[in-house]
């Protein structure tokens, strides 16, 4: 799923809307509400827990319960191994750019409302949280 979302440019100009110091940075609600709506219910099955754990730098799909992952992901800031048995299976790791993770703006924390982001997109975020950090572009590299 992540590969395909990156391939189609889904994460381009998408905000880190949930930032919890020492825990994680979450992204994945598209800035265009029409695009976001198409992916919100496109759920995929949980992956079995593999050899990796939710350690710093590992990337994991967010979930609202069993088998309901779609497009939101988070990057672990801390050792979040307590998530391992809850359906949060890491699928990737940040290997280059970890200093950027440490520079992400944490000032808004969990204040942005996910429902408002879904319905109003970037208009809501830029008006109410002007200093959020965004992924400018996400591309596949050989």
């Amino acid at each position: 799923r992540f590969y395909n979302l990156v391939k189609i440019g889904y994460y381009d100009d998408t905000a880190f809307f949930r930032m919890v110091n020492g825990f994680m940075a979450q992204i994945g609600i598209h800035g265009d509400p029409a695009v976001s709506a198409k992916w919100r219910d496109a759920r995929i099955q949980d992956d079995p827990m593999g050899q990796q754990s939710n350690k710093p730098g590992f990337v994991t799909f967010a979930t609202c319960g069993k088998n309901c992952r779609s497009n939101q992901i988070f990057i672990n800031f801390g050792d979040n191994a307590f998530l391992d048995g809850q359906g949060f299976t890491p699928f990737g790791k940040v290997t280059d750019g970890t200093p950027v993770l440490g520079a992400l703006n944490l000032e808004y924390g969990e204040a942005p409302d996910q429902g408002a982001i879904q319905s109003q997109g970037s208009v809501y975020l830029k008006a109410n949280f002007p200093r959020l950090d965004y992924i400018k572009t996400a591309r596949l590299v050989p």
Side-chain angles (χ1 to χ4, degrees), residues 1-68:
R1 169 63 56 92
F2 182 73
Y3 173 89
N4 287 322
L5 289 169
V6 171
K7 187 175 180 179
I8 64 169
Y10 178 87
Y11 292 107
D12 293 0
D13 196 34
T14 303
F16 284 95
F17 66 88
R18 184 174 177 224
M19 304 288 293
V20 182
N21 193 22
F23 180 46
M24 61 85 200
Q26 190 165 332
I27 193 163
I29 301 176
H30 198 276
D32 178 342
V35 172
S36 186
K38 289 180 182 179
W39 285 94
R40 185 175 40 251
D41 294 325
R43 300 195 169 153
I44 58 175
Q45 299 290 305
D46 292 342
D47 287 323
M49 195 62 191
Q51 301 297 315
Q52 302 303 330
S53 179
N54 283 281
K55 302 285 186 192
F58 279 87
V59 183
T60 305
F61 272 99
T63 181
C64 58
K66 187 165 178 58
N67 297 320
C68 71

Side-chain angles (χ1 to χ4, degrees), residues 61-80:
F61 272 99
T63 181
C64 58
K66 187 165 178 58
N67 297 320
C68 71
R69 298 174 304 143
S70 61
N71 52 343
Q72 293 188 44
I73 61 170
F74 63 90
I75 302 168
N76 290 283
F77 285 155
D79 182 350
N80 300 322

